[in-house]
Amino acid sequence: MPDSEAESAPEPFVARYSVPKLLAWAAASGGMAVASLFMAIGNSGTFGLVIGTVGVIFFGSIAAVHALRLFDRRAQVIIDSDGLYVRSHGEQRIPLRSIKTMRTDVMSKSMTRLSIFLFKPAKYPIETRHRRFIYRINGSSAREFFGDVWIWSTHLDQPVDAIIRAIWAHRPETEFEKRIAALEDAALGG
């Protein structure tokens, strides 16, 4: 096989919102909002009214966000030769060589987070308001918990494992890494 075919770039990786997952999350949070509504109107006490109202607002907001995301067919994660793009992090592409390490946190089978730690996180700051807010309320432990960039597979049509494989497939190999691989191949073959 010619070298040009052996070293051809892999196809760009794209992850979008998963419609079935969003429907499930919207239904679950909508159900909680309805339960909170019954708590608010069915309870004659002030405490029940307040807690029920807070529940309706909180869970209703979550249901509304998930329902709106059903219509968002834009790519949420893109991995290609230009780097890593995570829409919820910001518009800036992160070169794959900037990734220091990655960690997966499995909360349940359907809830997995990929935490990505960068060599120079200040070069790729969080641009979106909601992510900056989440990061700030977690204080000094935010980086340890979330990483510099984080991707939840909870709402995406691709699992975290596929995202990790795409990062490794698109990450350019340095000359040093190529020499080490050649030495290892020579040692195994000879």
Side-chain angles (χ1 to χ4, degrees):
M1 178 182 329
D3 285 338
S4 61
E5 287 181 40
E7 299 209 15
S8 65
E11 289 292 316
F13 174 88
V14 177
R16 300 182 193 299
Y17 284 130
S18 166
V19 172
K21 287 181 181 180
L22 289 175
L23 285 171
W25 281 99
S29 52
M32 292 297 291
V34 168
S36 297
L37 179 64
F38 285 127
M39 182 178 174
I41 59 176
N43 194 328
S44 60
T46 305
F47 181 74
L49 178 65
V50 170
I51 294 298
T53 303
V54 169
V56 168
I57 293 168
F58 179 75
F59 291 114
S61 298
I62 293 171
V65 166
H66 285 86
L68 288 173
R69 286 180 176 173
L70 285 167
F71 303 101
D72 186 355
R73 301 311 307 149
R74 296 175 297 175
Q76 300 302 311
V77 176
I78 301 173
I79 302 165
D80 58 17
S81 60
D82 293 332
L84 170 68
Y85 170 75
V86 180
R87 181 173 303 286
S88 58
H89 184 78
E91 292 301 316
Q92 188 176 11
R93 290 276 184 141
I94 300 168
L96 299 177
R97 300 276 326 149
S98 296
I99 297 174
K100 184 177 184 179
T101 188
M102 297 181 283
R103 178 186 74 217
T104 57
D105 297 307
V106 180
M107 283 49 161
S108 70
K109 185 178 179 186
S110 64
M111 290 184 69
T112 304
R113 181 184 67 232
L114 175 62
S115 299
I116 299 172
F117 297 87
L118 305 173
F119 284 109
K120 295 180 180 177
K123 277 182 81 171
Y124 310 101
I126 300 169
E127 296 174 0
T128 57
R129 284 187 193 139
H130 72 282
R131 284 259 171 131
R132 283 196 312 257
F133 175 72
I134 291 169
Y135 210 74
R136 284 188 187 128
I137 62 174
N138 283 280
S140 61
S141 62
R143 184 170 193 254
E144 182 181 323
F145 183 72
F146 289 112
D148 301 312
V149 179
W150 65 95
I151 302 169
W152 285 96
S153 66
T154 310
H155 307 109
L156 298 178
D157 62 359
Q158 298 286 342
V160 165
D161 295 344
I163 296 169
I164 293 170
R165 283 193 304 274
I167 289 172
W168 283 110
H170 288 284
R171 184 179 168 269
E173 204 172 39
T174 64
E175 287 302 317
F176 178 73
E177 290 170 331
K178 289 178 186 175
R179 286 195 310 254
I180 294 296
L183 289 172
E184 288 174 349
D185 288 344
L188 292 174

